[in-house]
Amino acid sequence: MMTQTNPPATGQAAPSGDDENFTEATRIPLWDPEQDDVLVCRQVRQETHDVKTFVFSAREPRAFRFYPGQYMTFELPVEGMVTRSYTISGSAARPYRIEITVKRVPGGPGSNWLHDYMMPGKEVNVSGPFGEFTTDATGEEKLLFISAGSGITPMMSMTRTACDLSEPSDLCFVHAARTPADIIFRDELSLLAAQNPGLRIAFTCSTAAAHHSWTGYTGRFNIQMLSLMLPDFKDRKVFCCGPAPFMEGVRNMLRDTGFDMEKYYEESFDFGAETAGTFDEDPVAAPEISGQTFRVSFTKTGHVVECGPGMTVLSAAREAGILPMSSCQRGICGTCKSKLISGEVDMQHGGGIRQREIDQGKVLICCSTPLSDIEVEL
Ligand SMILES: Cc1cc2nc3c(=O)[nH]c(=O)nc-3n(C[C@H](O)[C@H](O)[C@H](O)COP(=O)(O)OP(=O)(O)OC[C@H]3O[C@@H](n4cnc5c(N)ncnc54)[C@H](O)[C@@H]3O)c2cc1C
C-alpha cells in the first residue's frame, strides 16, 4: 500500500517563505500563502486538442516559492464552488508566474470550467503551494521519470527547473500518451533534450494507427521498452505520475524485476487516493485522541453517522455514503475544506487552511476528529 512521507520525497525541507534573502535581487515581495490568495490569468496556451496551459501571476508582482512538483488548490465557481488541485507545471526558477496544465476531463466540472471560462484578466482564488513530490534533477543521482497523460506536469516542472538552473546530470524522462497527438510538451521536451546532454526523452503511444509518421514505441508501456530505453533502470530513483491503473502497472512491472521499491516515488491525481509517497512503507495510523464516539450530522444531505475514536470527519462522511472531494488526506491541500456549523473538532492540519478561515469556522475534514457532537455543512 502506498503511504506518504512527511518530508518531501527527496528529504528536502519544504519552502518556508521566511528566507529574507530570497528576493534580494529583485526586491519583489514574496507571495505569502497565509495572506495572498488571488491569481490573475495572464495567458492561455493550447497544448494538445484537450490540454491547455494557464499562466497566472499575482495582482501585484509577487515571487512564488515552490519546489518543482508541488501543486496549488483552486476554488472554481462552478456548481456553487468546487476545489481542485493542479500541479505547477512551470519552472521553479521562474518564480513570478504560476503555470498549470490541465486536461479536459469529459463531464468534469472543474477542468471544463477552466477550459471554457478561464482567460487573460480573470481572477481565481487559490491556496498553496503544497506537496512533497519533488526532486533535484541537477543532483548526482541517476533519475527516471515515468509519466502518463496529465501526470506529466510534476516531471515537467522538475525538468524545466533543472534545465533553467544548470543541467540535469543524468535524467531519463519517459512519457506515455494515448496517441502521438496526445503527447503534451513534445516539442519543448525534444528541444530541452537536444540542448541538455544529461537529459534523455522517450515517448510511447498506446496506439499510433492514424499517425503513419510515428516511428516511436507503440503499445502499452512495458518492461521490454524500458530495458531497451534504459538498461540501467535498476540503478535509478524513479518518479511516477499518471492514472491509477498506469501507476499500478509500473509498480508491478518494476517489482517483478526485483527493483528496490524504496527508490520508487509516485504522485496520484486521483480523487481520494493518497499522494506523494514512497511505496512499501508502513501505513501511518490515525492518532487515537479519545475513547468516545460522537454524532456527526451532515446538514446538506441530512445524514447522521456515529464517529468512533480516532475517526476523521472525512471517514465518517464516507461511511454515511457521502463522497466529499478530498485529495492529500493529511490536511495539506485544502481540497476538503468544509464549514463546521456546530461542535468542536481536533484539527491536525499540515498548512492547508489559513488562520482566518479557521476563524470563520472552516475545517479540513480529512484531518479533523470530533471532540463533541458536530454539524458539518456537507
Ligand atoms: C495533487 C493533484 C495534482 C493534480 N494536478 C493536475 C494537473 O497538473 N493537471 C490536470 O489536468 N489534473 C490534475 N489533477 C486532477 C484535478 O485536480 C482534477 O481532478 C481534474 O481536473 C478533474 O476535475 P473535474 O472537476 O473536471 O472532474 P471531476 O469531477 O474531478 O472528475 C470527473 C471524473 O473524471 C475522473 N478524472 C478526474 N481526473 C482525471 C484525469 N486527470 N484523467 C482522467 N479522468 C479523471 C474522476 O475520477 C471522475 O470520474 C491533480 C489532482 C491532484 C490531487
Side-chain angles (χ1 to χ4, degrees):
M1 166 179 187
M2 189 185 73
T3 59
Q4 300 112 14
T5 47
N6 275 331
T10 52
Q12 290 171 271
S16 66
D18 58 1
D19 180 351
E20 53 196 33
N21 293 324
F22 185 72
T23 56
E24 202 53 27
T26 58
R27 305 263 174 211
I28 289 179
L30 286 173
W31 169 269
D32 177 358
E34 184 61 34
Q35 298 299 330
D36 298 324
D37 58 1
V38 177
L39 291 182
V40 185
C41 181
R42 306 294 181 187
Q43 193 188 47
V44 180
R45 290 197 299 267
Q46 189 85 41
E47 302 286 0
T48 69
H49 61 102
D50 62 355
V51 175
K52 284 183 178 178
T53 290
F54 302 90
V55 182
F56 300 93
S57 63
R59 276 186 187 139
E60 302 297 326
R62 288 285 180 276
F64 297 88
R65 278 191 100 178
F66 63 92
Y67 279 127
Q70 287 195 301
Y71 58 92
M72 295 187 86
T73 301
F74 288 66
E75 289 176 13
L76 305 174
V78 56
E79 295 182 352
M81 184 68 74
V82 299
T83 310
R84 296 287 184 271
S85 299
Y86 292 101
T87 303
I88 303 167
S89 54
S91 169
R94 301 182 189 194
Y96 307 110
R97 54 204 269 171
I98 292 290
E99 293 188 22
I100 59 168
T101 301
V102 180
K103 182 178 162 61
R104 189 193 282 272
V105 174
S111 59
N112 281 279
W113 187 87
L114 282 166
H115 272 249
D116 294 338
Y117 298 108
M118 184 50 73
M119 58 188 69
K122 241 188 158 66
E123 298 191 342
V124 64
N125 277 71
V126 298
S127 48
F130 304 116
E132 301 169 346
F133 185 70
T134 185
T135 195
D136 173 9
T138 61
E140 289 303 300
E141 251 163 346
K142 294 163 86 170
L143 297 174
L144 167 58
F145 291 172
I146 305 175
S147 65
S150 57
I152 196 169
T153 51
M155 278 65 159
M156 192 63 194
S157 180
M158 295 180 211
T159 305
R160 282 171 162 161
T161 305
C163 293
D164 276 348
L165 291 179
S166 59
E167 186 185 315
S169 50
D170 187 347
L171 167 61
C172 183
F173 190 154
V174 182
H175 178 66
R178 212 165 52 81
T179 73
D182 293 300
I183 301 174
I184 309 168
F185 306 130
R186 182 176 174 182
D187 291 344
E188 183 180 341
L189 279 171
S190 303
L191 183 66
L192 287 175
Q195 292 169 340
N196 294 273
L199 171 65
R200 274 177 286 169
I201 303 289
F203 299 116
T204 72
C205 289
S206 44
T207 166
H211 302 266
H212 301 298
S213 60
W214 178 251
T215 52
Y217 294 95
T218 308
R220 279 170 66 115
F221 179 54
N222 59 42
I223 193 63
Q224 285 76 23
M225 290 180 189
L226 181 58
S227 306
L228 279 172
M229 290 167 188
L230 206 57
D232 70 346
F233 71 89
K234 282 194 193 172
D235 303 339
R236 291 172 181 263
K237 209 175 198 178
V238 176
F239 287 76
C240 183
C241 184
F246 176 83
M247 291 198 295
E248 190 184 348
V250 170
R251 284 199 301 269
N252 290 338
M253 179 181 94
L254 290 174
R255 201 189 282 106
D256 287 349
T257 68
F259 183 83
D260 174 7
M261 295 306 280
E262 288 285 312
K263 295 192 301 179
Y264 174 84
Y265 298 86
E266 69 177 29
E267 173 92 314
S268 170
F269 286 179
D270 284 349
F271 160 66
E274 296 171 11
T275 56
T278 50
F279 190 66
D280 277 356
E281 292 173 355
D282 287 338
V284 181
E288 190 132 324
I289 53 140
S290 111
Q292 275 184 273
T293 294
F294 294 107
R295 180 178 305 155
V296 180
S297 310
F298 297 103
T299 58
K300 279 191 182 163
T301 62
H303 288 85
V304 179
V305 68
E306 297 291 310
C307 193
M311 190 177 190
T312 64
V313 180
L314 175 63
S315 308
R318 287 184 175 156
E319 200 141 286
I322 308 167
L323 294 175
M325 281 303 291
S326 71
S327 171
C328 73
Q329 314 211 35
R330 307 171 54 209
I332 295 173
C333 73
T335 307
C336 65
K337 204 173 292 162
S338 307
K339 176 100 176 152
L340 181 67
I341 295 185
S342 70
E344 258 189 277
V345 295
D346 176 42
M347 178 167 57
Q348 299 290 329
H349 71 87
I353 187 163
R354 300 177 173 96
Q355 187 55 47
R356 65 180 140 96
E357 295 171 314
I358 298 173
D359 297 343
Q360 291 160 4
K362 295 194 177 145
V363 292
L364 299 179
I365 59 171
C366 70
C367 58
S368 294
T369 47
L371 293 172
S372 67
D373 291 347
I374 61 169
E375 289 180 297
V376 181
E377 194 177 70
L378 268 175

